[in-house]
Amino acid sequence: GTKEDPEFIKIKGGNYTSLAFDDKNHIWAGTDNGLLYFDNSSSLRHPKLLKSFTYRPEDKNGISKNIITSLYIDRTGILWVGTNGGGVNKFDPNRKNFKHVKRDLRENSLSYDKIRSIFEDSNGTLWVGTEGGGLNKSVASKEKYSAFTSTNQLRKVFALEEISFKGKKYLLQGGQNYPYLFRIDITNPQNGISNVTGLQGLKRSVFSLLNDSQDNLWIGTYSGGLYRWIKGDEGNYIKQ
């Protein structure tokens, strides 16, 4: 291809739901048939498949479901894998096994096993958005990220992102209920998650959120187009 017409090479077929890049710049890819890991070394012309992980009932340390819905790598390098019905799978690259975080009978367990979004905020709090069980917030515990509190003002949480606004920090959650985008004040990580505020200006469900390097907020919606909210000098957003 020319500069005007870049050429795309298919690396591997399949239906892909999510991508994450680790500290070696290798690629984790979530699909509807398992988790893939690609070598993305600069010496290679194209990324090369190193390993695939699929559900095997006899493997207690394997992945809990084949339909991967979200991927997130936290600041310690742990890969968090959201699945459709198998909860969250926590993969430690050094130990090479999966630890399962699922809904159970405990009061502070995950609220629901259909996962749609995973995000770690600048306070180090892990958030897990589900498709039907609302938003989960990890609470400090001996076994990191095994205890949660949850809120379901928004039952289906498809996207999570952090913004700063007039000296405060907020977690944004996008999803299916009107007004489709909500914010939670996370300036003090000890606060609960009862202070959820709806943000106006959107007409369809929010499926993706990105706060870019200029602090502009990009909002992808379900068949309602893409929005860009530009942060003004006063810290407020000019909606486009």
Side-chain angles (χ1 to χ4, degrees):
T2 64
K3 280 186 179 168
E4 291 77 33
D5 179 24
E7 195 177 323
F8 290 96
I9 309 288
K10 184 189 276 190
I11 297 163
K12 192 174 188 332
N15 295 320
Y16 292 79
T17 57
S18 42
L19 296 172
F21 292 80
D22 69 13
D23 56 2
K24 300 188 187 80
N25 202 36
H26 293 348
I27 304 166
W28 288 99
T31 77
D32 61 2
N33 191 29
L35 179 67
L36 307 177
Y37 188 51
F38 293 89
D39 185 337
N40 191 34
S41 306
S42 52
S43 57
L44 294 173
R45 185 142 184 254
H46 306 301
K48 185 179 86 180
L49 182 65
L50 289 177
K51 196 156 177 52
S52 61
F53 301 87
T54 50
Y55 171 64
R56 298 204 317 276
E58 70 279 6
D59 186 359
K60 296 286 178 269
N61 295 316
I63 206 155
S64 64
K65 272 279 192 289
N66 277 338
I67 300 176
I68 311 300
T69 51
S70 53
L71 296 173
Y72 191 84
I73 296 175
D74 72 17
R75 60 184 72 179
T76 66
I78 300 287
L79 174 72
W80 297 85
V81 182
T83 68
N84 188 33
V88 177
N89 290 234
K90 175 184 170 186
F91 183 78
D92 184 337
N94 300 317
R95 292 191 181 156
K96 303 273 191 294
N97 63 5
F98 292 90
K99 184 168 173 34
H100 305 151
V101 181
K102 292 185 179 181
R103 176 171 171 77
D104 59 32
L105 296 173
R106 292 176 306 139
E107 191 186 342
N108 59 356
S109 82
L110 199 63
S111 67
Y112 206 65
D113 283 337
K114 282 190 172 184
I115 310 302
R116 284 303 296 263
S117 48
I118 303 171
F119 183 77
E120 183 184 40
D121 69 23
S122 59
N123 300 324
T125 302
L126 188 82
W127 301 84
V128 179
T130 70
E131 187 173 355
L135 179 67
N136 293 256
K137 176 188 179 183
S138 66
V139 294
S141 64
K142 271 193 306 213
E143 180 61 49
K144 198 178 183 197
Y145 303 139
S146 65
F148 294 89
T149 57
S150 62
T151 177
N152 59 7
Q153 269 102 332
L154 190 57
R155 290 194 68 75
K156 297 183 179 181
V157 181
F158 298 136
L160 296 166
E161 179 61 292
E162 181 175 338
I163 59 167
S164 58
F165 186 76
K166 296 184 177 175
K168 292 196 158 188
K169 296 195 286 193
Y170 294 96
L171 181 82
L172 296 181
Q173 48 169 340
Q176 205 173 355
N177 307 54
Y178 179 83
Y180 313 116
L181 185 63
F182 296 79
R183 76 177 190 196
I184 300 171
D185 188 340
I186 57 168
T187 312
N188 177 358
Q190 305 309 319
N191 285 352
I193 45 176
S194 53
N195 52 345
V196 182
T197 311
L199 301 178
Q200 301 300 318
L202 300 168
K203 296 185 173 66
R204 292 292 178 90
S205 300
V206 171
F207 264 48
S208 55
L209 293 167
L210 177 70
N211 196 46
D212 71 18
S213 57
Q214 266 93 47
D215 254 1
N216 300 317
L217 181 65
W218 295 82
I219 304 166
T221 68
Y222 183 71
S223 68
L226 174 68
Y227 292 77
R228 179 177 67 161
W229 289 4
I230 297 173
K231 190 182 261 192
D233 297 334
E234 301 291 308
N236 52 328
Y237 284 105
I238 299 142
K239 299 174 183 180
Q240 295 189 322

mmCIF file of all heavy atoms in Angstrom, residues 46-47 72 78 85 103 112 120 179 198:
data_model
loop_
_atom_site.group_PDB
_atom_site.id
_atom_site.type_symbol
_atom_site.label_atom_id
_atom_site.label_comp_id
_atom_site.label_asym_id
_atom_site.label_seq_id
_atom_site.Cartn_x
_atom_site.Cartn_y
_atom_site.Cartn_z
ATOM 1 N N HIS A 46 5.628 -9.597 11.789
ATOM 2 C CA HIS A 46 4.253 -9.588 12.277
ATOM 3 C C HIS A 46 4.213 -10.295 13.635
ATOM 4 O O HIS A 46 5.014 -11.190 13.881
ATOM 5 C CB HIS A 46 3.319 -10.343 11.314
ATOM 6 C CG HIS A 46 3.389 -9.852 9.911
ATOM 7 N ND1 HIS A 46 3.113 -8.558 9.569
ATOM 8 C CD2 HIS A 46 3.719 -10.501 8.762
ATOM 9 C CE1 HIS A 46 3.270 -8.416 8.263
ATOM 10 N NE2 HIS A 46 3.650 -9.563 7.754
ATOM 11 N N PRO A 47 3.270 -9.913 14.509
ATOM 12 C CA PRO A 47 3.134 -10.639 15.787
ATOM 13 C C PRO A 47 2.918 -12.138 15.561
ATOM 14 O O PRO A 47 2.270 -12.539 14.588
ATOM 15 C CB PRO A 47 1.893 -9.996 16.424
ATOM 16 C CG PRO A 47 1.828 -8.638 15.816
ATOM 17 C CD PRO A 47 2.320 -8.801 14.413
ATOM 18 N N TYR A 72 -7.643 -6.224 31.199
ATOM 19 C CA TYR A 72 -7.016 -5.050 31.816
ATOM 20 C C TYR A 72 -5.727 -5.495 32.510
ATOM 21 O O TYR A 72 -5.726 -6.493 33.243
ATOM 22 C CB TYR A 72 -7.960 -4.398 32.843
ATOM 23 C CG TYR A 72 -7.459 -3.053 33.309
ATOM 24 C CD1 TYR A 72 -7.727 -1.905 32.575
ATOM 25 C CD2 TYR A 72 -6.674 -2.945 34.458
ATOM 26 C CE1 TYR A 72 -7.234 -0.673 32.977
ATOM 27 C CE2 TYR A 72 -6.181 -1.715 34.858
ATOM 28 C CZ TYR A 72 -6.469 -0.581 34.118
ATOM 29 O OH TYR A 72 -5.976 0.638 34.511
ATOM 30 N N ILE A 78 -0.380 -7.638 36.654
ATOM 31 C CA ILE A 78 -1.378 -8.717 36.659
ATOM 32 C C ILE A 78 -2.389 -8.470 35.537
ATOM 33 O O ILE A 78 -2.856 -7.346 35.346
ATOM 34 C CB ILE A 78 -2.125 -8.777 38.017
ATOM 35 C CG1 ILE A 78 -1.147 -9.041 39.166
ATOM 36 C CG2 ILE A 78 -3.244 -9.811 37.982
ATOM 37 C CD1 ILE A 78 -0.609 -10.435 39.250
ATOM 38 N N GLY A 85 -19.902 -15.005 32.068
ATOM 39 C CA GLY A 85 -20.480 -16.066 32.884
ATOM 40 C C GLY A 85 -19.498 -16.794 33.786
ATOM 41 O O GLY A 85 -19.911 -17.568 34.638
ATOM 42 N N ARG A 103 -18.905 -14.788 41.733
ATOM 43 C CA ARG A 103 -19.993 -14.591 42.701
ATOM 44 C C ARG A 103 -20.142 -15.865 43.531
ATOM 45 O O ARG A 103 -20.115 -16.978 42.993
ATOM 46 C CB ARG A 103 -21.301 -14.301 41.954
ATOM 47 C CG ARG A 103 -22.497 -14.191 42.882
ATOM 48 C CD ARG A 103 -23.714 -13.680 42.133
ATOM 49 N NE ARG A 103 -24.919 -13.760 42.939
ATOM 50 C CZ ARG A 103 -25.233 -12.915 43.917
ATOM 51 N NH1 ARG A 103 -24.423 -11.917 44.223
ATOM 52 N NH2 ARG A 103 -26.351 -13.045 44.595
ATOM 53 N N TYR A 112 -21.906 -10.406 40.202
ATOM 54 C CA TYR A 112 -22.455 -11.059 38.998
ATOM 55 C C TYR A 112 -21.284 -11.597 38.187
ATOM 56 O O TYR A 112 -20.207 -11.023 38.203
ATOM 57 C CB TYR A 112 -23.217 -9.994 38.186
ATOM 58 C CG TYR A 112 -24.323 -10.518 37.292
ATOM 59 C CD1 TYR A 112 -25.449 -11.117 37.833
ATOM 60 C CD2 TYR A 112 -24.249 -10.364 35.910
ATOM 61 C CE1 TYR A 112 -26.489 -11.557 37.016
ATOM 62 C CE2 TYR A 112 -25.279 -10.801 35.091
ATOM 63 C CZ TYR A 112 -26.396 -11.405 35.643
ATOM 64 O OH TYR A 112 -27.414 -11.837 34.840
ATOM 65 N N GLU A 120 -8.561 -0.107 36.758
ATOM 66 C CA GLU A 120 -7.892 0.262 38.009
ATOM 67 C C GLU A 120 -7.696 1.774 38.010
ATOM 68 O O GLU A 120 -7.106 2.318 37.069
ATOM 69 C CB GLU A 120 -6.534 -0.440 38.113
ATOM 70 C CG GLU A 120 -5.816 -0.153 39.425
ATOM 71 C CD GLU A 120 -4.423 -0.764 39.480
ATOM 72 O OE1 GLU A 120 -3.706 -0.744 38.466
ATOM 73 O OE2 GLU A 120 -4.040 -1.247 40.547
ATOM 74 N N PRO A 179 -29.284 8.302 32.199
ATOM 75 C CA PRO A 179 -28.730 9.023 31.045
ATOM 76 C C PRO A 179 -27.458 8.419 30.441
ATOM 77 O O PRO A 179 -26.725 9.122 29.766
ATOM 78 C CB PRO A 179 -28.462 10.407 31.635
ATOM 79 C CG PRO A 179 -28.113 10.147 33.068
ATOM 80 C CD PRO A 179 -28.927 8.953 33.482
ATOM 81 N N GLY A 198 -25.746 11.199 37.459
ATOM 82 C CA GLY A 198 -25.933 11.038 36.020
ATOM 83 C C GLY A 198 -25.485 12.289 35.277
ATOM 84 O O GLY A 198 -25.658 13.401 35.760
#
